[in-house]
Amino acid sequence: MPFTCVLCNEETCYLSNFCDDCQVIKRITNCYGKVEVKEILEQVCLRNKKQQKYKINGIIKNKDELHKEIKDIKKI
């Protein structure tokens, strides 16, 4: 009887509670502990409004610099 993965609820699992990707996440959690993994995910993956604006401005700045470099290359 197939079940869906208990972590992502997307993949069908026959022999385990976790799909292959979630099994890797589970192993990492077992090694480092759920509190540390949660803190890492919150610090790295989740951003507040100030961090979002900083990231957006950084991306825009990188695009502008890339366009400038392309123009400089075309001149050569």
Side-chain angles (χ1 to χ4, degrees):
M1 181 170 156
F3 299 98
T4 57
C5 175
V6 296
L7 186 59
C8 70
N9 293 318
E10 294 177 1
E11 300 288 327
T12 302
C13 305
Y14 294 96
L15 301 175
S16 173
N17 289 331
F18 301 100
C19 64
D20 292 339
D21 291 334
C22 292
Q23 187 68 39
V24 172
I25 295 169
K26 177 68 174 149
R27 288 182 185 142
I28 293 170
T29 304
N30 288 343
C31 291
Y32 292 99
K34 66 181 180 181
V35 173
E36 187 169 347
V37 171
K38 179 182 173 242
E39 288 174 359
I40 292 168
L41 290 172
E42 287 174 340
Q43 291 174 2
V44 175
C45 297
L46 301 179
R47 296 178 174 271
N48 61 34
K49 293 292 182 187
K50 182 179 178 182
Q51 292 169 323
Q52 289 173 354
K53 288 180 183 179
Y54 180 76
K55 183 69 173 182
I56 291 168
N57 290 337
I59 291 171
I60 292 170
K61 181 180 176 184
N62 287 341
K63 285 183 180 180
D64 291 342
E65 290 173 359
L66 181 62
H67 288 299
K68 183 180 177 187
E69 288 177 14
I70 291 172
K71 286 180 183 178
D72 292 341
I73 291 172
K74 286 182 178 179
K75 289 179 183 178
I76 296 176

